[in-house]
Amino acid sequence: STSVAYLNSKPFPPSFKFGVSTSAYQIEGAWNQGGRTPSVWDNFIHENPEKIANNDTGDVACDSYNKYEQDVDLLKSMGAQFYRLSISWTRILPYGTAQKINQEGVDYYVNLLKLLKENNIEPIVTLYHWDLPMPLQEMGGWTNPDIIKYFGDYARICYKEFGQYVKYWVTLNEPQTTCFYAYSDNPPHVHFAPAYSLDAEGTYLCAYTHVKAHALAYHIYDKEFREHQQGKISLSLLARWFEPKPNDPNGELAQELGMQFQLGLFAHPIYNGNWPQLIIDRVANRSSMQGLPQSRLPAFTKTEIDYINGTYDWFGLNYYITAMVELQYQEDDLPGNASYIVDQGFNSYTDSSWKANKCNSKMVQTPWGFKNLLKWVHDHYNQPEIIVTENGWCNHESSLNDTDRIEYVGLHLSAILDAIYDEGVNVTGYTQWSLLDNFEWLTGYSAKFGIVSVDFNDENRTRTPRDSFYWYRDVISTRILPNVSSGAIALQISL
Ligand code: GBH
């Protein structure tokens, strides 16, 4: 089905919670203040300013390091039930390892967490949203399995310092984005820090270390902290919904390859045990046809499979878009290089009839795909509690009248209600990306995701709520989606 009704009169279940998200590098600024040392993103941007739109940097960003009280005021006036933030690893551990804890950095987050608590706003805290300490990057970053133990050490310190305030932990944000955009040769023109150009070995090794680092951080919490702190841990995984090209005999295979290579590669070891069989078989077969002595995909031992399997208390899902998929390479197609793109075999594309936005050609409004994805996650990963840890819409305008964002968010909240009521999917929370316009990676400040606009030309970084902020506030307080005809903003919806 390719349509979803916006007018969804069903209420959000009483336990359903609403929040917003940000991440450290994208909002904090203060890159060299308070004892913080550079992460891979600081260095990448300082050394390659031309790689970011308008030569923007995250040096100041929203200056939330100095203005976090304003952020909490905004959360409070919106009625946010929770706030998803991330911790800057180098603010806590300037050398990346446990050899030195930076008390000023610890104090910053303790102050923020205390203020959230005073205001009854639950934090969801992400340990790692891509800002790897430089000393660890120089050792190979996510291609060096030693990173697993360093991540474990960092996680332990965070649980110890912040755990009394935190009931929801996210170990890793979107490891897929890191492994596919920072540790591979795809796509050559969109490279995230550290911009390694690696063949498929690097991409798979990156996945392997991420999955193991997550599992270690989970077990450390489980053994050393859970009894006293009573929190719940997961990771945030990105997924598109892949819709097979109509009337394509290979459509179902392309869809399955799409879902498994983007999501299953990371979710299956954690939710079901081991890599997805489809990927194990395909990569082993292709590796052997290429004359390799072993599969490009690192194998887990039986002990590792068991250790990783079940390291979750809920499912963190980041969803933005749907894409069409078609088969591009057969399993026995052997172009020269060993790219994971060729291994995965599918090609994805955007249907031109979908409502697109101006800030990224791939950003489309496809809420029906979100409903399908929620059901797919429910069916494949043991019917977990799902918290949507990111969803949102960007545009290029700083205008406060962001009807397009209200439409996108309204339709996606409606899709969640459909997934809950029609399919029995256990979705318990929705996190809008983002509270603030912020440093949107390669697109700098030109792509705006905020329900609050930030004036980046003003040294005060003045924050001004958009229409979507007030709309969201009303959804949170009424716990239903407003009827278009009675709403303050008339929506033009064409699907
Ligand atoms: C999330 O990534 C991030 O967690 C968050 O930090 C970010 O601000 C937010 O979404 C909004 O983008 O191949 O041309 O589309 C979402 C997934 C993957 C989207 C990488 C952009 C690269 C450019 N991102 N992708 S493109």
Side-chain angles (χ1 to χ4, degrees):
S1 83
T2 52
S3 71
V4 62
Y6 177 71
L7 290 175
N8 207 324
S9 54
K10 299 163 210 134
F12 287 91
S15 57
F16 191 93
K17 290 186 177 162
F18 296 93
V20 285
S21 182
T22 59
S23 88
Y25 186 68
Q26 295 178 273
I27 67 161
E28 282 179 11
W31 75 283
N32 57 2
Q33 277 181 42
R36 180 187 180 282
T37 57
S39 78
V40 61
W41 273 94
D42 295 289
N43 275 31
F44 176 71
I45 293 171
H46 292 156
E47 285 163 16
N48 311 279
E50 75 288 352
K51 297 215 165 150
I52 312 295
N54 308 312
N55 296 353
D56 288 338
T57 77
D59 292 358
V60 181
C62 308
D63 199 22
S64 287
Y65 181 71
N66 297 301
K67 300 185 178 11
Y68 69 92
E69 287 153 326
Q70 293 183 24
D71 298 345
V72 178
D73 280 344
L74 287 162
L75 293 164
K76 195 178 160 187
S77 72
M78 184 201 314
Q81 292 171 285
F82 64 84
Y83 178 43
R84 175 173 179 250
L85 61 115
S86 82
I87 294 176
S88 156
W89 191 332
T90 57
R91 247 186 228 300
I92 307 301
L93 304 179
Y95 301 108
T97 65
Q99 66 178 289
K100 185 187 171 204
I101 298 179
N102 173 38
Q103 194 56 43
E104 264 188 278
V106 171
D107 292 346
Y108 168 67
Y109 294 106
V110 167
N111 291 338
L112 171 56
L113 292 167
K114 278 186 175 161
L115 195 58
L116 290 169
K117 196 182 169 87
E118 276 166 40
N119 288 289
N120 241 326
I121 300 161
E122 181 89 64
I124 296 186
V125 178
T126 302
L127 293 173
Y128 178 70
H129 200 122
W130 309 347
D131 39 4
L132 196 70
M134 271 320 290
L136 302 185
Q137 193 63 61
E138 279 159 3
M139 290 191 266
W142 293 99
T143 60
N144 179 351
D146 281 346
I147 198 173
I148 298 162
K149 69 173 184 251
Y150 295 126
F151 183 70
D153 293 344
Y154 165 60
R156 178 184 290 106
I157 289 163
C158 289
Y159 302 147
K160 182 169 169 287
E161 299 288 348
F162 311 122
Q164 70 172 115
Y165 304 103
V166 182
K167 296 293 168 241
Y168 288 88
W169 290 102
V170 172
T171 56
L172 306 169
N173 180 66
E174 293 183 3
Q176 299 116 310
T177 303
T178 304
C179 299
F180 298 161
Y181 290 94
Y183 287 79
S184 88
D185 54 1
N186 158 60
H189 59 285
V190 188
H191 246 163
F192 277 28
Y196 283 0
S197 266
L198 301 172
D199 286 341
E201 277 81 358
T203 314
Y204 297 136
L205 182 54
C206 176
Y208 174 83
T209 54
H210 270 93
V211 165
K212 289 184 66 169
H214 161 80
L216 175 61
Y218 183 93
H219 283 292
I220 289 172
Y221 190 80
D222 219 32
K223 278 207 204 75
E224 303 173 28
F225 299 92
R226 187 189 291 279
E227 195 184 327
H228 296 296
Q229 298 185 350
Q230 300 284 318
K232 301 212 265 181
I233 305 207
S234 186
L235 75 172
S236 288
L237 293 174
L238 174 72
R240 286 173 282 178
W241 173 250
F242 285 122
E243 184 70 13
K245 185 177 168 179
N247 308 317
D248 178 354
N250 290 314
E252 266 179 46
L253 173 61
Q255 180 181 43
E256 187 63 10
L257 287 168
M259 297 308 290
Q260 295 300 348
F261 268 93
Q262 63 153 356
L263 181 57
L265 188 63
F266 295 84
H268 198 277
I270 294 165
Y271 288 83
N272 299 315
N274 209 354
W275 307 114
Q277 198 60 44
L278 180 76
I279 298 184
I280 295 175
D281 294 345
R282 193 173 174 101
V283 179
N285 189 22
R286 290 178 49 73
S287 301
S288 110
M289 283 190 294
Q290 285 167 321
L292 295 177
Q294 64 208 5
S295 176
R296 277 193 288 284
L297 182 69
F300 292 123
T301 64
K302 173 81 176 74
T303 311
E304 287 174 328
I305 291 170
D306 294 343
Y307 181 80
I308 298 164
N309 189 9
T311 53
Y312 68 91
D313 301 316
W314 50 284
F315 196 108
L317 182 64
N318 292 0
Y319 172 83
Y320 289 88
I321 58 170
T322 285
M324 301 297 296
V325 267
E326 63 188 354
L327 202 64
Q328 187 176 21
Y329 301 106
Q330 298 289 346
E331 189 162 331
D332 56 2
D333 279 344
L334 289 178
N337 67 334
S339 157
Y340 87 92
I341 291 288
V342 184
D343 281 352
Q344 69 185 14
F346 70 90
N347 173 49
S348 65
Y349 60 96
T350 301
D351 188 297
S352 58
S353 71
W354 297 340
K355 178 172 171 172
N357 83 12
K358 294 167 204 134
C359 90
N360 175 336
S361 61
K362 291 179 187 164
M363 264 304 273
V364 285
Q365 181 172 283
T366 46
W368 55 272
F370 190 28
K371 182 184 175 189
N372 293 347
L373 174 68
L374 288 165
K375 172 83 167 97
W376 197 93
V377 168
H378 177 79
D379 290 344
H380 285 76
Y381 302 121
N382 317 315
Q383 315 193 344
E385 173 186 358
I386 299 173
I387 298 176
V388 176
T389 40
E390 284 183 31
N391 175 248
W393 181 253
C394 64
N395 58 37
H396 272 154
E397 286 97 56
S398 35
S399 162
L400 301 178
N401 310 119
D402 54 346
T403 315
D404 54 342
R405 178 170 294 108
I406 294 173
E407 178 182 294
Y408 178 94
V409 173
L411 288 166
H412 286 74
L413 282 169
S414 179
I416 289 176
L417 286 172
D418 288 342
I420 294 172
Y421 284 98
D422 304 349
E423 308 287 352
V425 180
N426 184 20
V427 190
T428 62
Y430 176 81
T431 319
Q432 196 175 160
W433 183 273
S434 180
L435 172 64
L436 304 169
D437 287 345
N438 61 43
F439 181 80
E440 179 51 32
W441 310 111
L442 301 184
T443 45
Y445 299 102
S446 67
K448 298 176 188 305
F449 273 93
I451 59 175
V452 174
S453 96
V454 176
D455 184 351
F456 294 102
N457 297 316
D458 166 3
E459 70 174 282
N460 293 322
R461 296 297 190 272
T462 301
R463 288 131 161 85
T464 312
R466 295 200 163 99
D467 288 349
S468 59
F469 175 97
Y470 298 105
W471 179 89
Y472 196 41
R473 182 192 64 184
D474 291 349
V475 171
I476 298 171
S477 70
T478 60
R479 305 188 63 79
I480 49 161
L481 292 175
N483 188 309
V484 171
S485 57
S486 68
I489 296 154
L491 299 178
Q492 294 290 321
I493 303 203
S494 50
L495 283 169

